[in-house]
């Protein structure tokens, strides 16, 4: 597709269940970011992938959160044993490059997660 | 680490009025992005400023980067209801995106 695609757009789950959120970046984009936005809060950095380099996982809030990026393209964010505080909109973004050379960032529409 | 502070935090203007949103950085800005977020949607790219003194315009929105002041401003001329939303300044710090807290704009018809 032309833009960053995220799925599902909406997910309601029960506390304690595992969830997987998917991000399909724009073809050819080497950088991929995951952010989340809780109600009334700003955007919180989660994890960043750049090419074949080891991802920057410094923003993951706990070991229940993990993410992978297969083949340098699609990324999956997995939340295990979900808690109510995990409820948020999870946003994915991709860009051609990173670091000091700013490139245009393209955001997906987000996956809204609600943990009951 | 670098921080971005936006002002005002929220703004209500009458349709047709001009407005300015500011983004101030705690450190030197080597470029900046402006995004708009509509409720329940993703972020929409508005503009990218790459160097001090740069000014860009798109339709009725103009953004400037004042490197010396470590500040960027976003100006909307003759606001319309379609301009309503949350405006975010974003800085790319070595791959990690730093976000301002956002400015919520409401435009009254």
């Amino acid at each position: 597709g032309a833009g960053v695609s995220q799925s599902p757009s909406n997910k309601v789950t029960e506390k304690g269940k595992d969830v997987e959120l998917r991000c399909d970046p724009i073809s050819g984009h080497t950088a991929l970011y995951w952010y989340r936005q809780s109600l009334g809060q700003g955007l919180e950095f989660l994890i960043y992938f750049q090419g074949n380099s080891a991802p920057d996982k410094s923003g993951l809030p706990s070991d229940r959160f993990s993410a992978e990026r297969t083949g340098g393209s699609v990324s999956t964010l997995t939340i295990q044993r979900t808690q109510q505080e995990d409820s948020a909109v999870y946003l994915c973004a991709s860009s051609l490059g990173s670091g000091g050379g700013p490139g245009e960032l393209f955001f997906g529409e987000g996956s809204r997660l609600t943990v009951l | 680490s670098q921080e971005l502070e936006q002002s005002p935090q929220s703004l209500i203007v009458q349709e047709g009025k001009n407005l300015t949103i500011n983004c101030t950085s705690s450190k030197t800005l080597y470029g900046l992005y402006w995004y708009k977020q509509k409720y329940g949607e993703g972020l929409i790219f508005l503009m990218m400023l790459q160097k001090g003194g740069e000014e860009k315009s798109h339709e009725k929105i103009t953004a400037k980067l004042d490197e010396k002041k470590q500040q960027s401003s976003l100006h909307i001329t003759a606001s319309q209801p379609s301009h309503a939303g949350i405006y975010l300044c974003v800085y790319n710090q070595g791959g990690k995106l730093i976000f301002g807290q956002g400015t919520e704009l409401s435009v009254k018809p």
Side-chain angles (χ1 to χ4, degrees), chain A residues 68-81:
Chain A
E68 61 177 24
R69 189 178 183 190
T70 52
S73 181
V74 172
S75 177
T76 303
L77 178 70
T78 302
I79 309 173
Q80 296 178 308
R81 304 181 302 281

PDB file of all heavy atoms in Angstrom, chain A residues 68-81:
ATOM      1  N   GLU A  68       9.302  -7.468  17.169  1.00  0.00           N
ATOM      2  CA  GLU A  68      10.250  -7.981  16.196  1.00  0.00           C
ATOM      3  C   GLU A  68       9.918  -7.410  14.831  1.00  0.00           C
ATOM      4  O   GLU A  68       8.795  -6.954  14.584  1.00  0.00           O
ATOM      5  CB  GLU A  68      10.223  -9.507  16.159  1.00  0.00           C
ATOM      6  CG  GLU A  68       8.902 -10.118  15.765  1.00  0.00           C
ATOM      7  CD  GLU A  68       9.002 -11.639  15.685  1.00  0.00           C
ATOM      8  OE1 GLU A  68       9.887 -12.219  16.329  1.00  0.00           O
ATOM      9  OE2 GLU A  68       8.183 -12.223  14.957  1.00  0.00           O
ATOM     10  N   ARG A  69      10.917  -7.456  14.003  1.00  0.00           N
ATOM     11  CA  ARG A  69      10.731  -6.975  12.640  1.00  0.00           C
ATOM     12  C   ARG A  69      11.337  -8.021  11.711  1.00  0.00           C
ATOM     13  O   ARG A  69      12.544  -8.228  11.714  1.00  0.00           O
ATOM     14  CB  ARG A  69      11.417  -5.627  12.441  1.00  0.00           C
ATOM     15  CG  ARG A  69      11.064  -4.988  11.113  1.00  0.00           C
ATOM     16  CD  ARG A  69      11.705  -3.645  10.940  1.00  0.00           C
ATOM     17  NE  ARG A  69      11.267  -3.047   9.683  1.00  0.00           N
ATOM     18  CZ  ARG A  69      11.796  -1.959   9.151  1.00  0.00           C
ATOM     19  NH1 ARG A  69      12.793  -1.346   9.768  1.00  0.00           N
ATOM     20  NH2 ARG A  69      11.342  -1.482   8.013  1.00  0.00           N
ATOM     21  N   THR A  70      10.480  -8.651  10.955  1.00  0.00           N
ATOM     22  CA  THR A  70      10.922  -9.753  10.110  1.00  0.00           C
ATOM     23  C   THR A  70      11.318  -9.255   8.719  1.00  0.00           C
ATOM     24  O   THR A  70      10.574  -8.486   8.102  1.00  0.00           O
ATOM     25  CB  THR A  70       9.803 -10.801   9.980  1.00  0.00           C
ATOM     26  OG1 THR A  70       8.602 -10.139   9.560  1.00  0.00           O
ATOM     27  CG2 THR A  70       9.551 -11.479  11.313  1.00  0.00           C
ATOM     28  N   GLY A  71      12.475  -9.687   8.277  1.00  0.00           N
ATOM     29  CA  GLY A  71      12.925  -9.349   6.937  1.00  0.00           C
ATOM     30  C   GLY A  71      13.068  -7.865   6.686  1.00  0.00           C
ATOM     31  O   GLY A  71      13.013  -7.415   5.538  1.00  0.00           O
ATOM     32  N   GLY A  72      13.251  -7.121   7.752  1.00  0.00           N
ATOM     33  CA  GLY A  72      13.411  -5.677   7.596  1.00  0.00           C
ATOM     34  C   GLY A  72      12.162  -4.969   7.130  1.00  0.00           C
ATOM     35  O   GLY A  72      12.209  -3.824   6.685  1.00  0.00           O
ATOM     36  N   SER A  73      11.021  -5.653   7.268  1.00  0.00           N
ATOM     37  CA  SER A  73       9.782  -5.036   6.789  1.00  0.00           C
ATOM     38  C   SER A  73       8.726  -5.015   7.892  1.00  0.00           C
ATOM     39  O   SER A  73       8.776  -4.180   8.777  1.00  0.00           O
ATOM     40  CB  SER A  73       9.276  -5.770   5.555  1.00  0.00           C
ATOM     41  OG  SER A  73       8.091  -5.164   5.079  1.00  0.00           O
ATOM     42  N   VAL A  74       7.838  -5.965   7.866  1.00  0.00           N
ATOM     43  CA  VAL A  74       6.711  -5.997   8.810  1.00  0.00           C
ATOM     44  C   VAL A  74       7.210  -6.136  10.250  1.00  0.00           C
ATOM     45  O   VAL A  74       8.163  -6.860  10.530  1.00  0.00           O
ATOM     46  CB  VAL A  74       5.775  -7.171   8.472  1.00  0.00           C
ATOM     47  CG1 VAL A  74       4.706  -7.352   9.534  1.00  0.00           C
ATOM     48  CG2 VAL A  74       5.148  -6.964   7.102  1.00  0.00           C
ATOM     49  N   SER A  75       6.543  -5.415  11.142  1.00  0.00           N
ATOM     50  CA  SER A  75       6.887  -5.499  12.560  1.00  0.00           C
ATOM     51  C   SER A  75       5.662  -5.923  13.363  1.00  0.00           C
ATOM     52  O   SER A  75       4.533  -5.552  13.040  1.00  0.00           O
ATOM     53  CB  SER A  75       7.391  -4.158  13.066  1.00  0.00           C
ATOM     54  OG  SER A  75       7.659  -4.211  14.459  1.00  0.00           O
ATOM     55  N   THR A  76       5.923  -6.704  14.402  1.00  0.00           N
ATOM     56  CA  THR A  76       4.852  -7.126  15.311  1.00  0.00           C
ATOM     57  C   THR A  76       5.218  -6.717  16.721  1.00  0.00           C
ATOM     58  O   THR A  76       6.322  -7.010  17.194  1.00  0.00           O
ATOM     59  CB  THR A  76       4.659  -8.660  15.261  1.00  0.00           C
ATOM     60  OG1 THR A  76       4.386  -9.057  13.916  1.00  0.00           O
ATOM     61  CG2 THR A  76       3.504  -9.084  16.152  1.00  0.00           C
ATOM     62  N   LEU A  77       4.303  -6.036  17.366  1.00  0.00           N
ATOM     63  CA  LEU A  77       4.458  -5.677  18.787  1.00  0.00           C
ATOM     64  C   LEU A  77       3.584  -6.635  19.581  1.00  0.00           C
ATOM     65  O   LEU A  77       2.386  -6.738  19.320  1.00  0.00           O
ATOM     66  CB  LEU A  77       4.026  -4.231  19.020  1.00  0.00           C
ATOM     67  CG  LEU A  77       4.086  -3.720  20.464  1.00  0.00           C
ATOM     68  CD1 LEU A  77       5.530  -3.572  20.922  1.00  0.00           C
ATOM     69  CD2 LEU A  77       3.360  -2.374  20.593  1.00  0.00           C
ATOM     70  N   THR A  78       4.195  -7.343  20.512  1.00  0.00           N
ATOM     71  CA  THR A  78       3.471  -8.333  21.316  1.00  0.00           C
ATOM     72  C   THR A  78       3.420  -7.875  22.761  1.00  0.00           C
ATOM     73  O   THR A  78       4.438  -7.471  23.329  1.00  0.00           O
ATOM     74  CB  THR A  78       4.150  -9.712  21.231  1.00  0.00           C
ATOM     75  OG1 THR A  78       4.209 -10.127  19.869  1.00  0.00           O
ATOM     76  CG2 THR A  78       3.368 -10.742  22.036  1.00  0.00           C
ATOM     77  N   ILE A  79       2.230  -7.915  23.319  1.00  0.00           N
ATOM     78  CA  ILE A  79       2.049  -7.604  24.747  1.00  0.00           C
ATOM     79  C   ILE A  79       1.506  -8.862  25.402  1.00  0.00           C
ATOM     80  O   ILE A  79       0.424  -9.348  25.043  1.00  0.00           O
ATOM     81  CB  ILE A  79       1.079  -6.434  24.958  1.00  0.00           C
ATOM     82  CG1 ILE A  79       1.475  -5.233  24.098  1.00  0.00           C
ATOM     83  CG2 ILE A  79       1.063  -6.036  26.438  1.00  0.00           C
ATOM     84  CD1 ILE A  79       0.468  -4.102  24.116  1.00  0.00           C
ATOM     85  N   GLN A  80       2.262  -9.372  26.343  1.00  0.00           N
ATOM     86  CA  GLN A  80       1.840 -10.586  27.050  1.00  0.00           C
ATOM     87  C   GLN A  80       1.132 -10.222  28.341  1.00  0.00           C
ATOM     88  O   GLN A  80       1.438  -9.198  28.968  1.00  0.00           O
ATOM     89  CB  GLN A  80       3.051 -11.460  27.359  1.00  0.00           C
ATOM     90  CG  GLN A  80       3.764 -11.983  26.110  1.00  0.00           C
ATOM     91  CD  GLN A  80       4.991 -12.795  26.455  1.00  0.00           C
ATOM     92  OE1 GLN A  80       5.854 -12.351  27.195  1.00  0.00           O
ATOM     93  NE2 GLN A  80       5.067 -13.999  25.915  1.00  0.00           N
ATOM     94  N   ARG A  81       0.192 -11.070  28.721  1.00  0.00           N
ATOM     95  CA  ARG A  81      -0.523 -10.907  30.003  1.00  0.00           C
ATOM     96  C   ARG A  81      -0.958  -9.452  30.173  1.00  0.00           C
ATOM     97  O   ARG A  81      -0.578  -8.763  31.120  1.00  0.00           O
ATOM     98  CB  ARG A  81       0.388 -11.336  31.162  1.00  0.00           C
ATOM     99  CG  ARG A  81       0.918 -12.744  31.019  1.00  0.00           C
ATOM    100  CD  ARG A  81       1.805 -13.139  32.203  1.00  0.00           C
ATOM    101  NE  ARG A  81       2.938 -12.259  32.380  1.00  0.00           N
ATOM    102  CZ  ARG A  81       4.052 -12.295  31.678  1.00  0.00           C
ATOM    103  NH1 ARG A  81       4.186 -13.181  30.687  1.00  0.00           N
ATOM    104  NH2 ARG A  81       5.044 -11.465  31.945  1.00  0.00           N
TER     105      ARG A  81
END
